[in-house]
Structure formats: C-alpha cells, structure tokens
Amino acid sequence: MVCMYSLESSQYEKMLIRCTLPIRDIAVSPDGQWAAVASEYVKSPADGFDSELTVKVVNVQDPTRFVYIRDCPKPAKHLTYDPSGSHLAISCTDGVVYVYRLSTEEPELVRKVDGLIRQLETTDEASSRAIWHPDGRAFAVPTVTREAQVVSLGDGEKQRAFSNGHAGEITALAWSPNGALLLTAGADKKITLWEVKSQKVLARYDYPNIMNIAWHPTENIVSFATSDGEIFIYNDFVPAEHAAQLEHTLQPAPFIHDPLQEVSGNARKTLTNGTKPPAEHRTRRRGTPDSLDDILGPDEDGYEDDFVDDDDGAGYALGVNGNGKRTNGHLDDLDGYDAKRRAIWQPSIHKPFQPSSTPWRGNRRYLCLNLIGFAWTVDQDTHHTVTVEFYDR
C-alpha cells in the first residue's frame, strides 16, 4: 500500500492506494497534489477496479479523485513528473518511454520514445528512468550503450549525449537544480560528475551499489541510496573548482540546436555602414594627401575660397554644404523629373523564393523544399553537410 505521512511530524496521515503486488515506483507532482503509483497489479478499495499494468494518478488530498493510465503494454519500472507537473514519463519494461500529458481531463499520450532504454525487468538494478531537465524541454535516459541520452519533448529527437562515463550499466542519474551539472552512477561502482554545457567529465567518485541520487535544492549537498538499504548525505560534494556552477541561474537543456537560441537566416539584416548622420554632425571632407591644394599651399591673398564672383547673378558663388560642395537649391524644378527620379531609386523587395527552412530535428533540417526537389543539411559537429536532390533524376 501507499501511505501518506507528515513531513514535519513524521506521523501517519492516510492511505492513498492498496496494491496486491509490490509497488515498483511512486512519483509526486511538483506541487505535491498528485501521486503516480506503478505496480504490476493495482486494486483500489475506493472504486473496486482491478487492472493489470495500470498506472494510477491519485490526488493526495482526496484519494477518491484519480485517473488511470492503461495504455502501457508492459509493467512500468519508473515514473517521473516534469518540472511543471503537466507531463508524466513512464519507463516500461518493454524498452519504451511513454510520455503523457496530464493537463487534459484524461491522460493523453504525446510521445513514445523507442530504441533508447533497455528492456529491463522490474527487479533489475539497472535504471531506465527518464529524468527531466529543470527547464522542462527535454529529459535524459540511460541507454543500452551506457550513455545518458538527452531527448527533446517537442519532437522526440535525440539531442546531446553524455558518453564514455561508465564501464557498466547506469543505475541512477540526476540533474543539478539549475541544470548546469549532471550526476550518473553505474554498476562499475563509480559516480560521474558531468558539465552539461560541454558534456565533459569533471570528476569521478568510488561509490558502489547506487540506486538513486538527489541534489539539495539550494546547497552543494548530494544524497544517494544504495541497494543495501543505506542512505548517504555528503556536504560539499561538488569540488571547489566547479562549485561555482551551482550558483548559476537556470541553464538550458543541452540541445544540438536550441530552438530558443536559433535565429532565422532569412531576416533582413541591417546594412554594415548604417545610415548617415545629419549634415550638421558630419565633418567637412578633407582633401587627399596629393591634392593640388595641398601641393600649392594656401593662396597668399587669402582668396582660396569663393574665388568665383557671381557678377551675373547665375548663382555660381552660393554657399557650399558641409561636404564642401554647392547644393542644387538654385536650380529650377523640372516637371515630372523629381517624381520619376524618386521612382527609379525606390527599393523593390523581391518576394522570398523559399519562406524559411524547417526547424532542426536533432542534427538535421531542410533548407529548401519545392516541386523541383529539396536540399537538407546535417550538423556533423565540426562541419555541415548539404545534400541537394531533384525529383527528375
């Protein structure tokens, strides 16, 4: 059975659910209002409903309020709420992670991730738990290749992976509260500390039989439980040279191409030279070093400027502008010429041939797609490859 106790007094309060077979996992929503329970066989005395392979989500204040998740074909091994409490990830023994949206009246299956986690029995010590990154946009799971693989909630695509950290199966993993660090424990009796941004190993510790890991919400404290039924709490677990990372604000999940940081290449860019400042703020243009005026020097009589006498009133000697040139203000307007001249220099923006490329799905995206063919690119980390294909070839 699942019972509720007071955290302050450690006193028993109520029973939430009764199960005839062992309970494999319990997950409490971030707001503490709901508890998801996974067992191989569930029976609730409140409604008299019997069902194998059922996950029950029950309200902790009113146990008569509950919903069932019955779509899993195999027993659930792990349950995990996302940071908002709106999604529940279920790792089943069939090697599939099922993600359900709980914000609707009935749980809705929104993502099915296959081919990453191992097909484990509920009694196996190896883990297949999906742990949500604190920003809620992705989760990480232990893979069959002993990696911690990040998966996007939005499209289910694989993102960055934490590789070469363990020589045995991963048994536990946990993000730091701000998502800057990751801890993984393995059957090789090691705990590995990772930097999330670079996926590099920062430190390794020798601790055997680790089954679960938890970070303190605000302090550099880590606790973990072992298969021997022991719980250890360690102060200053992260070394001093890396402890500053725990003080950072919330860090983004390690995407290959982060949708929040991506900028469209089709947006019109500002010209490099920009716009010219007003004439009153511009300095007078200087002559070149080998200009005639510099070679001859100033006029001895001091009449080097305005040497033309406007004796016939034709406007030859009107004042110059800030660039040392005469304006055309003294000229008469030509009918229709000004409008025609403005029309010639009016910029014309051509409609885009391709409105935009598709978003990144993992490490690839389409650059162009039309009735002639398509072009797509793959991010190879060190470079990009571009493939162009035509339908008539």
Side-chain angles (χ1 to χ4, degrees):
M1 68 176 63
V2 178
C3 298
M4 183 174 175
Y5 290 81
S6 170
L7 186 61
E8 297 179 354
S9 63
S10 301
Q11 298 296 317
Y12 169 84
E13 291 187 353
K14 68 181 74 172
M15 183 189 71
L16 296 181
I17 190 173
R18 184 191 301 273
C19 304
T20 58
L21 291 180
I23 295 171
R24 296 308 177 186
D25 202 11
I26 301 173
V28 179
S29 62
D31 60 4
Q33 297 300 309
W34 297 87
V37 181
S39 176
E40 297 179 12
Y41 185 90
V42 177
K43 181 174 182 178
S44 173
D47 57 1
F49 180 81
D50 296 357
S51 175
E52 293 184 359
L53 313 179
T54 299
V55 174
K56 184 174 182 179
V57 183
V58 59
N59 186 278
V60 298
Q61 303 298 330
D62 182 7
T64 61
R65 295 176 54 197
F66 54 84
V67 292
Y68 285 114
I69 299 177
R70 305 186 179 96
D71 302 333
C72 302
K74 293 291 184 178
K77 182 173 174 61
H78 301 293
L79 305 173
T80 317
Y81 274 99
D82 78 327
S84 67
S86 59
H87 292 86
L88 180 69
I90 304 176
S91 301
C92 289
T93 56
D94 59 354
V96 180
V97 178
Y98 301 87
V99 181
Y100 286 86
R101 180 182 293 118
L102 302 180
S103 56
T104 55
E105 184 175 352
E106 289 294 329
E108 176 187 2
L109 179 64
V110 295
R111 192 70 57 209
K112 182 179 177 181
V113 182
D114 196 358
L116 287 181
I117 63 174
R118 287 188 57 192
Q119 296 184 16
L120 300 172
E121 296 298 328
T122 54
T123 56
D124 289 341
E125 291 190 0
S127 175
S128 60
R129 182 183 302 276
I131 58 164
W132 293 88
H133 189 273
D135 73 359
R137 297 182 299 144
F139 56 86
V141 293
T143 68
V144 295
T145 56
R146 301 170 182 174
E147 298 177 329
Q149 176 66 60
V150 179
V151 180
S152 169
L153 172 64
D155 54 16
E157 292 291 327
K158 294 189 292 184
Q159 302 298 325
R160 299 294 183 184
F162 298 82
S163 308
N164 303 319
H166 293 280
E169 299 292 340
I170 294 178
T171 58
L173 60 172
W175 303 101
S176 65
N178 63 351
L181 300 173
L182 174 70
L183 278 178
T184 58
D188 57 354
K189 302 180 181 181
K190 300 287 185 180
I191 292 182
T192 304
L193 176 65
W194 305 81
E195 182 183 50
V196 171
K197 185 177 182 179
S198 63
Q199 299 89 56
K200 293 182 179 179
V201 175
L202 299 181
R204 283 191 173 92
Y205 308 88
D206 293 323
Y207 293 109
N209 307 325
I210 304 300
M211 299 299 296
N212 208 343
I213 303 175
W215 293 79
H216 190 280
T218 58
E219 303 292 338
N220 183 9
I221 300 175
V222 172
S223 61
F224 47 84
T226 70
S227 58
D228 300 325
E230 300 172 317
I231 297 179
F232 296 87
I233 301 176
Y234 283 88
N235 295 320
D236 301 325
F237 188 86
V238 179
E241 60 268 26
H242 304 302
Q245 298 206 38
L246 293 175
E247 301 176 1
H248 294 166
T249 58
L250 179 63
Q251 301 297 298
F255 281 76
I256 296 177
H257 294 281
D258 194 334
L260 296 183
Q261 299 178 356
E262 191 167 318
V263 179
S264 172
N266 300 312
R268 189 184 305 170
K269 298 178 176 58
T270 305
L271 296 178
T272 304
N273 293 334
T275 57
K276 293 183 178 180
E280 59 270 18
H281 299 296
R282 295 200 297 265
T283 59
R284 186 185 181 98
R285 189 186 316 184
R286 295 183 299 176
T288 60
D290 57 350
S291 66
L292 184 60
D293 291 340
D294 291 339
I295 295 174
L296 298 178
D299 192 350
E300 294 181 357
D301 298 331
Y303 295 109
E304 58 177 313
D305 295 331
D306 299 334
F307 67 95
V308 177
D309 292 331
D310 188 10
D311 53 357
D312 58 358
Y316 300 119
L318 292 178
V320 296
N321 61 14
N323 291 327
K325 296 184 178 181
R326 288 185 293 120
T327 65
N328 63 350
H330 61 285
L331 301 177
D332 296 334
D333 292 337
L334 299 177
D335 294 339
Y337 181 75
D338 284 347
K340 186 179 298 184
R341 184 177 182 182
R342 285 194 297 269
I344 293 174
W345 293 101
Q346 184 69 25
S348 177
I349 307 301
H350 192 282
K351 292 183 178 180
F353 142 74
Q354 183 74 17
S356 66
S357 57
T358 62
W360 287 99
R361 288 182 63 90
N363 63 342
R364 66 185 61 210
R365 78 189 307 176
Y366 281 94
L367 301 176
C368 170
L369 179 63
N370 54 36
L371 298 178
I372 299 176
F374 58 90
W376 53 284
T377 181
V378 177
D379 184 356
Q380 306 287 358
D381 287 336
T382 59
H383 64 281
H384 290 72
T385 58
V386 178
T387 304
V388 180
E389 297 189 14
F390 298 92
Y391 295 133
D392 58 349
R393 292 185 180 179

